[in-house]
Amino acid sequence: MEIVGQLQKQYVEFSTSLYREGFLDEQFIQLQKLQDESNPDFVVEVVSIFFEDSEKLINDLATAIQQQVVDFKQVDAHVHQFKGSSSSIGANRVKNMCIALRSFCDEKNLDGCLRCLQQVKHEYFLVKNKLETLFRGISHLKENIDSFFSFLIHHFFRRKK
Amino acid sequence: MAGEMAGNSTKKKISALVVDDDRLVRRIHGMLLTRFGMETNAVENGKEAVDLFASGKCYDLVFMDMEMPIMDGLKATQALREMGVSSTIVGVTSRTQEGETQAFMEAGLDACWEKPLTRDGIISLLDQVAKKLL
């Protein structure tokens, strides 16, 4: 069916662009390799954990940075965790922004931290959007493949009769 | 499978313990090690790891995060070595500063790696662990 071929092509182009533009790195490919028939939802599962944890971290960071007296060690601890989780998912641009934010923490540069945190958030929501699009693409492709095979099987059995 | 060894009529799996306060890391590293055929367990901090060994459980491989609440990786590694634990302990850290890694190594690690764990790193480790067990 024409549509399966088209969807597949779109999916591959989109997926490739994510690596080319630096949203995802090698680590995401490693995660995909860990998925198999006995763990078919592994990638979606870990990405969902990443989304949940990240949103909590972003809130914690915003709270820490907005204190009257900013505890830069606390801010740094949150950024350290965010850097760790984004690198374990392969969210490359988020990880790099976290590295930049840590430098501002080290310098105790509050303005720098505030500006950089906005960029961290921006990169996070961008990659979140991209990953959600990627997964929607996969499930759309699967639905079409499933209905294509159902059509084939149905057509085959009808003809046999 | 790489993590299994034939012995008499039963296959013994290499056992691995992931010690990390981040549930994402526990899930990913746990899956990676399981896919290598290892019997894998995971705990949230150094104290839970020490308690496991103290209760008589033993693991061939321990992947120890550096920074954790309650008991960090450094203290946990020291405690395990003081208890006489001879398992291969690999420090896993997102900190890349020299000084911190060195102190962690001196606590009794066999190696210290940067996160995330990779297939190649594990393959090289399995070689060493298999030799130890034979």
Side-chain angles (χ1 to χ4, degrees), chain A residues 27 30-31 33-36 39 42 45-46 49-50 52-53 76 80 83 85 87-89 102, chain B residues 21-25 27-29 31-32 35 67 93-97 114-119:
Chain A
Q27 181 60 14
Q30 294 302 320
L31 289 186
K33 287 183 182 171
L34 290 178
Q35 185 162 290
D36 62 9
N39 295 280
F42 178 69
E45 185 206 327
V46 296
I49 294 175
F50 172 65
E52 272 179 47
D53 289 355
D76 184 71
H80 169 71
K83 182 200 156 205
S85 55
S87 84
S88 58
I89 272 292
R102 292 195 79 193
Chain B
D21 59 334
D22 186 329
R23 64 171 173 154
L24 188 59
V25 169
R27 186 76 180 101
I28 294 173
H29 290 176
M31 179 62 92
L32 179 59
R35 289 296 300 276
E67 294 185 18
T93 173
S94 15
R95 298 252 183 221
T96 45
Q97 282 139 321
E114 222 183 299
K115 281 183 197 180
L117 292 183
T118 61
R119 291 182 132 67

Side-chain angles (χ1 to χ4, degrees), chain B:
Chain B
M1 269 256 88
E4 292 171 4
M5 290 163 43
N8 300 328
S9 55
T10 54
K11 275 194 181 164
K12 183 187 185 294
K13 282 193 179 189
I14 291 179
S15 55
L17 180 66
V18 176
V19 188
D20 202 301
D21 59 334
D22 186 329
R23 64 171 173 154
L24 188 59
V25 169
R26 288 197 301 274
R27 186 76 180 101
I28 294 173
H29 290 176
M31 179 62 92
L32 179 59
L33 297 167
T34 304
R35 289 296 300 276
F36 267 94
M38 294 186 236
E39 196 72 57
T40 311
N41 197 359
V43 290
E44 292 183 25
N45 60 62
K47 184 173 185 305
E48 289 186 21
V50 171
D51 288 348
L52 268 178
F53 276 92
S55 74
K57 282 230 139 76
C58 198
Y59 297 90
D60 303 308
L61 270 174
V62 179
F63 291 94
M64 185 78 79
D65 184 24
M66 188 156 78
E67 294 185 18
M68 292 175 286
I70 302 174
M71 187 190 282
D72 67 24
L74 207 140
K75 293 199 179 73
T77 305
Q78 275 170 343
L80 289 173
R81 292 308 188 203
E82 275 163 24
M83 280 162 65
V85 169
S86 59
S87 311
T88 301
I89 305 179
V90 177
V92 183
T93 173
S94 15
R95 298 252 183 221
T96 45
Q97 282 139 321
E98 273 281 344
E100 289 173 358
T101 309
Q102 200 183 338
F104 200 9
M105 281 294 294
E106 284 167 8
L109 295 178
D110 292 290
C112 194
W113 294 346
E114 222 183 299
K115 281 183 197 180
L117 292 183
T118 61
R119 291 182 132 67
D120 289 343
I122 291 172
I123 289 169
S124 72
L125 243 197
L126 285 177
D127 226 13
Q128 291 173 41
V129 173
K131 283 176 185 150
K132 237 178 162 181
L133 292 176
L134 285 168

